[in-house]
Amino acid sequence: MIAARAKRPQPRRRSPRSASKSRKRRPPAPKLAGRPHVIILGVSALSSRLTRAVRGLGVQCRRVDTPKEADLAIDPQTKALIIAPPIPRFSVLTYARRGRASFAHVPVFVVMEGPLPTRTARTLYGEGVEAIFAWPTDAQALKRTVFRVCAADFGDWGARKAKTASEVALEETVRAHLRAHAAPFGAHLAVEASGPFIVLRGSLDGLWKLELARQIASDVLGVEDVVAEGVEVTGPARGDRAIAAAVREVLRHTSDTDPSTLALSVRSGEVTITGSARDKHEASRALELVQHVRGVRRVNDYLVISSKGKREDKALARRVRHSMKTRYPDARVDVAVFGNVAVLSGRVSRASVRDQMKKLVHRHEGVERVVDKLIVSRRPPR
């Protein structure tokens, strides 16, 4: 009898992976506990582009899909919340209104693909949204704004990439301008470039010196913004009472402000001014004078402009445009007004010109806040 031939074991065939397993896994969220960061809320492709743009600044950020995830991610180290509609189960207005009460310490920005209706923009600004940007038109303004919000913690974000040749050149140019026009104190400031942004660090003995250094740096071609929050104003040893007396003396003799409408408090050289002024020019002049008082390290402005009634948006915008046209006849800058918020958009040649325009607009009665969407570029406007 012939023995039965043993069967050879057949090789095991791997079952094909299901469609769900073949999909790419979402990369894990970065560990941001205890580190400064920005949160981007949205499920569209725009939110992914925003994430790449923010990380390109050297800023830690995390993208979340739902408002619930955003609520859980917000902590004391959150520097900004960027909303890219649509968001699940909430309208942007509803979530902005809710956030105003829940996490008031975090500035909220809204980024839309294309322009937003005027009525919606006015309502969002009224609910406390810091700024509304149209993508990609306002991409530069958005990056500049995010960098400024996060600049106080610049250097704490982690290891940065090596500096490019343009960044090195920009740093050297700013240092040369400070040595030439802000001698002798300008040479003592540390200058660091991150793309087109300049961060100043160090210490100065006068607030007016800080403002001068900022203005000189912003006047350099190629600089889009100058952040000087890292500069400490030390000032000479002087008591708070002496500083308060000097401030009152200056306001009494060199300002049109009625001292009886102002209240001053000084703590460790930090001056807080509360009260009312007749118009924006009067308030700006008073703050400018206080900055030059010896020993003042910082000025907190809580002045209220006591005007009779509100101006309509169109009337206020017309007045601001006329002022801009008179001061800058060749500028191609548009002004939009939403309630008491003025929005500037267009193109300017230097960061210093942009700063002067913002000051000019902010002096107008009825304008409480200026949103900067100006583009700094050497290219002439079309």
Side-chain angles (χ1 to χ4, degrees), residues 9 87 94 98 116 155 170 180-181 212 227 231-232 257 274 287 295 318 371:
I87 55 178
T94 303
R98 173 186 166 187
L116 199 64
L170 201 59
H181 304 293
L212 178 60
V227 181
V231 178
E232 181 185 3
T257 308
T274 58
L287 296 174
R318 193 182 308 118
V371 175

Side-chain angles (χ1 to χ4, degrees), residues 20 46 61 87 100 114 208 213 307 326 338 364:
S20 60
L46 174 60
C61 73
I87 55 178
R100 189 177 184 181
W208 67 271
S307 58
T326 304
F338 305 97
H364 282 78

Side-chain angles (χ1 to χ4, degrees), residues 37-52:
H37 59 272
V38 172
I39 294 175
I40 298 176
L41 170 60
V43 294
S44 63
L46 174 60
S47 62
S48 300
R49 291 195 290 269
L50 291 174
T51 303
R52 290 193 294 270

Side-chain angles (χ1 to χ4, degrees), residues 2 47 53-54 81 98 128 135 158 188 226-227 242 274 301 319 340 351:
I2 302 174
S47 62
V54 172
L81 171 63
R98 173 186 166 187
W135 187 271
H188 300 299
V226 177
V227 181
T274 58
D301 171 24
R319 183 183 173 190
N340 57 8

Side-chain angles (χ1 to χ4, degrees), residues 39-42 64-74 81-103 106-110 124 127-129:
I39 294 175
I40 298 176
L41 170 60
V64 296
D65 294 337
T66 65
K68 185 177 180 180
E69 289 180 313
D71 293 343
L72 294 174
I74 291 175
L81 171 63
I82 303 176
I83 303 177
I87 55 178
R89 297 189 299 276
F90 277 94
S91 68
V92 177
L93 178 59
T94 303
Y95 191 65
R97 187 179 291 128
R98 173 186 166 187
R100 189 177 184 181
S102 302
F103 41 87
V106 178
V108 177
F109 303 98
V110 176
L124 286 173
E127 290 298 331
V129 170

Side-chain angles (χ1 to χ4, degrees), residues 35 58 60 153-161:
R35 302 175 65 186
Q60 299 288 338
D153 301 284
F154 185 79
D156 298 333
W157 304 100
R160 293 193 70 246
K161 59 183 181 180

